[in-house]
Amino acid sequence: MSRRVYIETYGCQMNLADTELLSGHLCRHGYQRTGDPGEADVILLNTCAVREHAEERVLGRLSALARFKRRRPEVRIGVAGCMAQHHRERLLERAPCLDFVVGPDAYRRLPELLGGDAFIDVRLDRRETYADIPPERESGVRAWIPVMRGCDKFCSFCIVPYVRGRERSVPLQAVLEHVRAAAAEGCREVVFLGQTVNAYRDGTATLATLLRATSQVEGIARIRFTSSHPADMTQDLIDAMAECPQVCPQVHLPVQSGSDRVLERMQRGYTVARYLELVDRLRRAIPGVALSTDIMVGFPGEDERDFSATCELLRTVRFDSAFLFQYSPREGARSFRWPETVLPEEKARRLREVIRLQEEISAEINQSLVGQATEVLVEGPARRPEGWLAGKNPQYKTVVFRYPRGAPGDLISVRVTEATAHTLVGVAEPATGRAGATGGAASRPVAPAGGFV
Ligand code: SAM
Ligand code: SF4
Ligand code: F3S
């Protein structure tokens, strides 16, 4: 009988994709996925180390899951992902129920290692891309496809380059194989993933090459990518977005701060002026493009003027949405050694302020969509109201709407009747053979294909 594995995922979309990879790999080695930790032989948490809070959640969850091991001592509990790589053997002291710790470059060996004793495998491998391992997908209509792993940017606050290792790209042909396989499984949308996905490179092929090649794949109606780094956003990539109708008008472009002084200390490699010029070029080339971002408040040395500059940037750009974070010192990252100059209550105040500001902007943008039509890729039933459907529009904005006949994978034109900061509500338009309005100037959007699970 096959052994059952239960996996929980924390962190970013890269981790979601890694869980699908782990799932596919383990299933081909005699395991079966279960959604119930109570019946699992192996319990695996695929973790994130980007902020302290993310790690605390995992430690809390591990002590709750330890009860399954007390009931059935043969159960094996493990930690995979970025927190595994960050803490290594120290994790065993903090979570005594653990049997194994496996880093992001050691997944290939996991089935074999699970056959033996307790283990820690956190070797980084600068060539590992898992290009040959087919994932077991969790989402029916959208395929998350990692096209690069690791990061070489070394922003001063960030742990990712240390836990994910050096940047490496999946060969172009292997990516296209994954795209074709996803289309054959019924996926209508692909999202290319990488920490700096627009730094993708295979010989002379770039992300622009990949977008153009993917738009030739039959069955794929929508193409997205995340996260883009402002310093790697080339004109050729913008041109490819503009010329391929399947590439959605949506870019997640983390800016972090609106102050040059802070950006320099963060070692981000661009200035506010350069960022604004990029936003301008994107908006001119791609009508109706949705822009989202990441902002961090309370970075060491950030004073009131720097913070005001960040608020000013939000007002100037008017992002459709943003992920907003308080700075969290990460051991190993360069800024860990710098004294924290912003008190916790002040960080919390700045965070509340940017959240309030961004909610206001997102709500205003969404309100302006009421009365317009937008194309929705149906994902399934809405959580509520009962009987409604939910999906995303080209700008990756959640749309819930009334329509009795839609099925996952359908593209349906929806007229927006109401809007909040996070959701559009609407009614399906009568079918005309093909779904109606797509991205374009008619529909401006929210929520990025990025973020956390
Ligand atoms: N690679 C992406 C980029 O450079 O834009 C970001 C990836 S990172 C995993 C996601 C976001 O987490 C970052 O954009 C940043 O805002 C936030 N982040 C990273 N390190 C952080 C830290 N030490 N404290 C708080 N937020 C952090
Ligand atoms: Fe972290 Fe910077 Fe790399 Fe993004 S680009 S993953 S913030 S080091
Ligand atoms: Fe977290 Fe690792 Fe992603 S640190 S944000 S899960 S790359």
Side-chain angles (χ1 to χ4, degrees):
M1 211 179 92
S2 63
R3 303 185 75 208
R4 277 165 296 200
V5 58
Y6 169 82
I7 312 180
E8 266 177 33
T9 313
Y10 298 80
C12 64
Q13 254 75 16
M14 291 292 293
N15 255 16
L16 264 187
D18 275 359
T19 289
E20 295 184 340
L21 167 91
L22 280 162
S23 204
H25 192 44
L26 287 171
C27 288
R28 266 181 303 281
H29 284 81
Y31 288 82
Q32 198 190 325
R33 246 337 248 283
T34 171
D36 176 5
E39 64 164 33
D41 302 294
V42 176
I43 294 176
L44 184 55
L45 301 194
N46 190 9
T47 60
C48 172
V50 80
R51 282 169 290 275
E52 197 178 344
H53 175 67
E55 297 195 337
E56 281 161 1
R57 273 179 71 203
V58 167
L59 290 171
R61 189 64 186 133
L62 280 171
S63 51
L65 288 167
R67 72 175 187 280
F68 295 110
K69 202 177 165 88
R70 285 195 292 274
R71 263 184 236 152
R72 289 167 52 223
E74 69 278 14
V75 171
R76 308 189 73 187
I77 302 185
V79 166
C82 300
M83 198 176 158
Q85 192 70 36
H86 188 205
H87 291 292
R88 305 166 178 224
E89 52 282 329
R90 278 188 296 173
L91 266 182
L92 302 178
E93 289 155 30
R94 296 174 77 179
C97 69
L98 276 182
D99 297 288
F100 63 97
V101 175
V102 60
D105 283 349
Y107 298 154
R108 195 178 284 277
R109 295 185 288 274
L110 186 56
E112 175 196 331
L113 291 165
L114 280 172
D117 296 333
F119 65 88
I120 297 178
D121 192 342
V122 287
R123 272 172 289 171
L124 286 174
D125 179 347
R126 53 172 67 227
R127 282 170 323 205
E128 181 60 275
T129 62
Y130 303 112
D132 57 321
I133 300 185
E136 187 173 274
R137 298 196 191 286
E138 290 176 13
S139 151
V141 301
R142 178 174 303 115
W144 301 99
I145 302 183
V147 298
M148 5 178 4
R149 298 183 73 85
C151 180
D152 283 354
K153 290 280 190 290
F154 290 93
C155 302
S156 60
F157 52 81
C158 188
I159 194 73
V160 170
Y162 304 95
V163 292
R164 289 260 166 188
R166 296 290 56 75
E167 185 180 296
R168 64 216 97 130
S169 295
V170 180
L172 183 78
Q173 288 312 324
V175 178
L176 291 172
E177 287 285 309
H178 284 294
V179 171
R180 285 187 211 105
E185 285 167 30
C187 292
R188 306 294 318 273
E189 177 173 312
V190 292
V191 188
F192 294 134
L193 297 177
Q195 286 300 348
T196 52
V197 70
N198 50 343
Y200 175 85
R201 195 156 272 285
D202 174 19
T204 56
T206 62
L207 185 62
T209 323
L210 185 53
L211 296 184
R212 291 185 177 109
T214 304
S215 35
Q216 306 299 317
V217 176
E218 209 172 309
I220 298 300
R222 290 180 170 185
I223 305 167
R224 305 181 192 274
F225 53 91
T226 195
S227 286
S228 293
H229 193 287
D232 292 320
M233 203 75 200
T234 61
Q235 188 56 43
D236 188 35
L237 179 57
I238 297 174
D239 293 343
M241 289 187 74
E243 86 205 26
C244 303
Q246 295 92 334
V247 178
C248 289
Q250 177 232 331
V251 184
H252 184 61
L253 198 63
V255 64
Q256 313 298 353
S257 169
S259 156
D260 280 342
R261 212 174 61 93
V262 174
L263 286 177
E264 197 179 338
R265 282 165 58 76
M266 287 178 164
Q267 294 166 252
R268 287 289 292 178
Y270 52 85
T271 60
V272 173
R274 219 182 122 212
Y275 187 90
L276 290 175
E277 184 266 331
L278 183 54
V279 165
D280 195 46
R281 266 194 294 141
L282 279 163
R283 285 188 166 151
R284 271 188 285 121
I286 307 155
V289 67
L291 294 180
S292 56
T293 200
D294 293 347
I295 297 279
M296 190 191 305
V297 297
F299 187 69
E302 181 191 77
D303 64 17
E304 198 53 43
R305 260 179 320 155
D306 299 316
F307 175 65
S308 300
T310 297
C311 295
E312 195 47 42
L313 181 83
L314 290 180
R315 282 189 211 98
T316 305
V317 176
R318 291 178 66 77
F319 291 102
D320 295 88
S321 68
F323 291 99
L324 306 158
F325 307 107
Q326 288 185 48
Y327 170 68
S328 166
R330 301 281 65 207
E331 192 177 355
R334 192 161 301 168
S335 68
F336 186 72
R337 299 191 301 267
W338 303 346
E340 282 216 72
T341 56
V342 188
L343 293 172
E345 51 275 24
E346 177 56 17
K347 268 197 219 172
R349 178 194 70 82
R350 291 182 192 177
L351 184 64
R352 280 196 306 274
E353 205 158 304
V354 284
I355 290 175
R356 191 193 49 72
L357 175 58
Q358 184 55 45
E359 292 267 311
E360 215 174 274
I361 295 168
S362 298
E364 281 169 12
I365 292 174
N366 288 355
Q367 290 295 335
S368 74
L369 298 175
V370 172
Q372 297 186 8
T374 190
E375 185 189 69
V376 181
L377 174 62
V378 177
E379 290 173 27
R383 251 178 272 162
R384 64 197 145 84
E386 206 176 315
W388 288 40
L389 295 175
K392 297 273 196 265
N393 77 353
Q395 289 83 2
Y396 206 69
K397 182 162 185 51
T398 300
V399 185
V400 298
F401 63 102
R402 208 162 11 105
Y403 190 60
R405 292 186 295 282
D410 285 354
L411 285 164
I412 292 177
S413 177
V414 172
R415 178 112 1 222
V416 180
T417 55
E418 285 170 56
T420 68
H422 303 283
T423 312
L424 298 179
V425 179
V427 286
E429 302 221 285
T432 54
R434 180 174 154 35
T438 54
S443 84
R444 296 183 62 223
V446 177
F452 289 76
V453 288

